[in-house]
Amino acid sequence: MENPVIILGAQAVGTAALDAFQSNDVVVYCLLDDDAALQQTELNDVPVMGNTDDKELLKLLGKKCEVFVATEDTASRRSLTNMLREEYSVAPVNAIHERASVSAHAWLGHGNMVGANAVVAGTARLGDGCILGANAVVDVKVEMADYAQLGAGAILNAGVSVGEQAFIGAGAVVVAGVKIGAKARVGAGSVVVADVAAGQTVFGNPAAKV
């Protein structure tokens, strides 16, 4: 990546994204965050400069800078991504840690983050804005829809499908072929052996509706 990156969000997701970019020697120009307490501070020697809608900095996007959306809230990530496309004609770049393994035969959309030691196997498909925590595993023929999130160490076995904005907690295991509905939530450490309906929360081994 030739151009430096501006990261929108300086909390947990932004910190992980910054680590991913720096692991590949990509220059991060600055981070932006709406929390005033974080502004005018530094994260890994990179300044947090202002709000995520800072027009003076965002006008650098495209020719001079790339952008990555790392806000904590899924709806915020989606709305910021849409704003960037509509107002600045740019799509967020992917943040893939140097120690991650992404198959050349996997398909990734825009603005995804793949953490350290995470694995994305061949024929897996990630939409836009997905987050894969450190050591997460996405096996063959898995499909993750836009803005789905996979916690650290979570495993999606072959043929799993994950709906838009679904959240799968750290260390959870979803067995082969299971479907996770849109906006569903899977608790950390759960073992999911049956389909999870849209908007449903499940937890436990085997995972049951909460």
Side-chain angles (χ1 to χ4, degrees):
M1 195 178 301
E2 294 182 3
N3 290 336
V5 178
I6 293 175
I7 298 176
L8 307 186
Q11 300 180 46
V13 177
T15 301
L18 176 61
D19 183 51
F21 286 121
Q22 290 183 328
S23 76
N24 289 289
D25 296 322
V26 173
V27 174
V28 176
Y29 182 75
C30 69
L31 299 98
L32 302 177
D33 198 281
D34 295 333
D35 184 349
L38 294 174
Q39 294 168 13
Q40 313 310 316
T41 64
E42 288 189 347
L43 190 59
N44 295 1
D45 299 322
V46 178
V48 182
M49 295 181 71
N51 292 322
T52 55
D53 61 354
D54 188 314
K55 304 296 184 189
E56 287 301 305
L57 287 168
L58 293 181
K59 72 181 183 182
L60 298 173
L61 301 180
K63 294 181 179 178
K64 295 183 179 179
C65 287
E66 306 292 348
V67 66
F68 183 82
V69 180
T71 51
E72 304 297 300
D73 178 65
T74 303
S76 172
R77 285 207 312 279
R78 185 168 63 174
S79 64
L80 278 171
T81 300
N82 290 339
M83 177 273 290
L84 292 168
R85 285 181 168 141
E86 292 167 7
E87 296 185 24
Y88 298 94
S89 300
V90 296
V93 294
N94 290 320
I96 300 173
H97 198 282
E98 188 268 338
R99 294 201 312 275
S101 175
V102 178
S103 170
H105 302 289
W107 187 92
L108 276 67
H110 298 285
N112 296 297
M113 191 191 78
V114 183
N117 302 313
V119 175
V120 181
T123 69
R125 294 178 62 89
L126 274 60
D128 295 337
C130 295
I131 294 176
L132 276 61
N135 300 299
V137 175
V138 176
D139 209 342
V140 297
K141 296 185 177 179
V142 167
E143 294 195 5
M144 292 181 68
D146 296 347
Y147 306 102
Q149 187 165 342
L150 190 59
I155 298 172
L156 303 182
N157 284 299
V160 166
S161 70
V162 179
E164 188 169 331
Q165 298 186 59
F167 175 86
I168 298 169
V173 176
V174 182
V175 303
V178 164
K179 294 178 173 58
I180 307 293
K183 296 185 179 179
R185 298 180 67 83
V186 175
S190 298
V191 177
V192 185
V193 298
D195 293 353
V196 179
Q200 196 171 85
T201 298
V202 299
F203 181 75
N205 180 8
K209 184 179 177 181
V210 175

